[in-house]
Amino acid sequence: FDTKTATICSLVTILFAQISKLVSVAVGTGFAAYDLSIAPVMVVGAIAGGFIGASLNKRCSEAAVEKSFNAVQLLVLAISIFNIVRNAAA
């Protein structure tokens, strides 16, 4: 797959995985053990991000999407390394 198609497939997979997890928690332990105060903000952010991402996906070239993906991967790697070092020192 090209990067744009792979991104869409990945997001759909994540969506269904999260829906199944929500159903599993709802049927099993319930949500009482979780702090859901930030959930409305996360829902609004996810919906807005979906619309913005879809718009950018249509406007950007394959090369731009690939560069953005790589930049985000490097950012996540840097944050992960920072957190590992910070937690190892604590």
Side-chain angles (χ1 to χ4, degrees):
F1 293 119
D2 62 356
T3 304
K4 287 184 175 187
T5 304
T7 301
I8 292 168
C9 293
S10 175
L11 290 174
V12 170
T13 301
I14 292 168
L15 173 68
F16 285 111
Q18 293 306 310
I19 288 171
S20 68
K21 181 62 178 179
L22 285 171
V23 170
S24 173
V25 170
V27 170
T29 60
F31 296 103
Y34 300 97
D35 177 14
L36 300 177
S37 62
I38 195 74
V41 175
M42 291 175 67
V43 169
V44 170
I47 292 170
F51 281 111
I52 292 168
S55 175
L56 288 173
N57 191 25
K58 290 178 186 173
R59 294 181 187 176
C60 293
S61 67
E62 178 71 26
V65 171
E66 184 84 27
K67 287 179 184 177
S68 298
F69 176 77
N70 290 334
V72 169
Q73 291 286 49
L74 287 174
L75 178 64
V76 169
L77 176 63
I79 291 170
S80 297
I81 291 170
F82 172 79
N83 286 333
I84 289 169
V85 170
R86 184 183 64 179
N87 290 329

